[in-house]
Amino acid sequence: MGSTQSRDASTVGDGELAEHDMGTSQRVVERLAALTRRRLPLVQFALDAMAWIIAIPLAASARYDMSIGPVDEGGALRLTLVVVLLQGVIGLLLGLYRRHYHYGSFEEMRALALSIAGVAVVALAVCRQFPDWVPRTVPAIAACFALVVVALVRYLARLAEDRGLRPVEGESEPVVVFGAGNAGRQIVRTMLRTPDSKYRPVALLDDDPHKSRLRVDGLRVQGTSSDLLDVATGHNATAVLVAIPSATGEQLRAVTAPLTRAGIRVLVLPPVWERLGELEISDIRPVTIEDLLGRHPAEIDVDAIADYIRGKRVLVTGAGGSIGSELCRQIHRYGPAALFMLDRDESGLHGTELSIHGRALLDSPHLILADIRDSDRLREVFEQHRPQVVFHAAALKHQPLLEMHPGEAWKTNVYGTHNVLEAAAAVGVGSFVNISTDKAADPIGVLGLSKRICERLTAQAAVETSCNYVSVRFGNVLGSKGSVLGTFQRQVQVGGPITVTHPDVTRYFMTVNEAVALTIQAGAIGGDGHVMVLDMGSPVRIVDVAERLASQSGRPIKIVFTGLRAGEKLHEVLLGADEVDVRPHHPLISQVEVPPLSFESAIGLEPDRHSSAGLDSTRG
């Protein structure tokens, strides 16, 4: 019993002693590291001095064809003392030994090269003064030797530092990076310099033939997009990062399809307009269905937009809706003198104010509760606030419901738009942007026909006011209320089925921020009542979207075809049969003419409460 207790005590004592020894060793290492950090400038100077100490005799020997005999050892020694002293003085003046630069950085190498050049120039003057020390060519030759040595030392130190920062192989996910442009190179370096990074790049690919031999931090470009699956499999990568922020939905779909089938995840970087500053690991995220359907690169002329918005009074109708609220958020960034947000939905206004200001007390005079069907109320609002720029986004937009209630489409979309146009003209609004839809191109349903009338009413107002009145036409907006994507996602959440109208139906898609950014741009470049048509990319088969969402759910989800509804097309178009695609100002915005239509002429086209008959004549 006693011996057992003695052994246990001995064991405990040995364990405590071992822990004590480990703690002591760790403290010693930490102290040495701290001492090294404090003494780093002195160490740097010592290494640079050593480079000169090696370089002077080596240069003198090289001057005499590597023969030591002719070298005046005393003169070489005196010159060495001079250059070491000069290196210290000039290095201090340039901040080399004051921790002004990160060790081994380009900035430090530039300062180091300047210091060595300065030392060489002074040393050359000394050799002219004392010609018996060493030949005058020695300082120049020694400077080259010294620069090589100090650069090599710093390169090795930086290499060791970078390797120490790399993510641990067993604790990070191996990824293949597709895209060796600025974003790709930046994110690769970020991953390789972040020890706790979740991702570890193992290969680079790029479709640019000029980058076929490129290396980024030791990572070589190993092929093009067609090699993605083979390279990922060869490196046992579990994910592919598409490091092309400007990639379109069509490009992402082409890359994603074979990888998804092979069980390899696809990651993306945010588009340029979604991020600020340098790329970070946290910017990497899984590809979403919105990425695959949207992401049209929007090249926005910020100056042109600022010219007609900054310092102006701007009013947005339908400000509580999907398009209207995003319009308010983006317009707010351009610094208008005042931003008036008008809607009949008080909850929508609450959400928009909250998204812009981070609070929503609903007591701001910039929030306007009004219905565009009420012409007297609109005239009162416009007279009180006298906006200079108007974005008209208020509308009814759900096609099946409007087919059953065409009179409501007329009262909101047609009468409402006329009321807004009339109020705008009365107070001299200089710029007016009417939000339209692709269903207005060769319309067959109530929604498209009513919006076609709105385009023509806007063109008529442009003629009458001689001001910048335009319409902007685009297709389905991802993330908007009632969008097909949101419907599919909710159906997946409850286990299905996903309902699709027709196996061959196609639609155009664009994210809301892309659509709104181009809409604001269109307002800057449009005029004369034109319809500005946004480039929506290639149409997407709706059944493909449904199948992708079903496969991502990890559950068996049925897809049921319900048939096209009244007023629906199998394939939407952005331009009518008689409209010409002309893009004089922007590669993503077409400009087409529409025949003006006076409101008096449009009155006779109003359908009865339960029928859409009569709207066909509005095609113009």
Side-chain angles (χ1 to χ4, degrees), residues 309-324:
I309 288 182
R310 183 175 295 139
K312 302 291 179 60
R313 297 183 300 278
V314 182
L315 184 143
V316 178
T317 71
S322 306
I323 301 298

Side-chain angles (χ1 to χ4, degrees), residues 395-409 413 437-452 476 481-484 501 507 563-570 572 612 615-616:
L396 296 178
K397 62 179 183 179
H398 292 285
Q399 170 67 29
L401 198 58
L402 296 183
E403 285 294 324
M404 293 190 294
H405 308 284
E408 297 303 304
N413 294 354
T437 169
D438 58 352
K439 291 176 175 58
D442 290 339
I444 64 170
V446 172
L447 172 58
L449 290 166
S450 65
K451 295 299 282 185
R452 177 64 175 179
N476 293 275
K481 297 175 182 176
S483 70
V484 65
T501 56
R507 291 293 182 265
L564 290 173
R565 295 166 293 188
E568 284 189 327
K569 299 178 184 178
L570 189 62
E572 295 285 7
S612 61
L615 285 177
D616 290 336

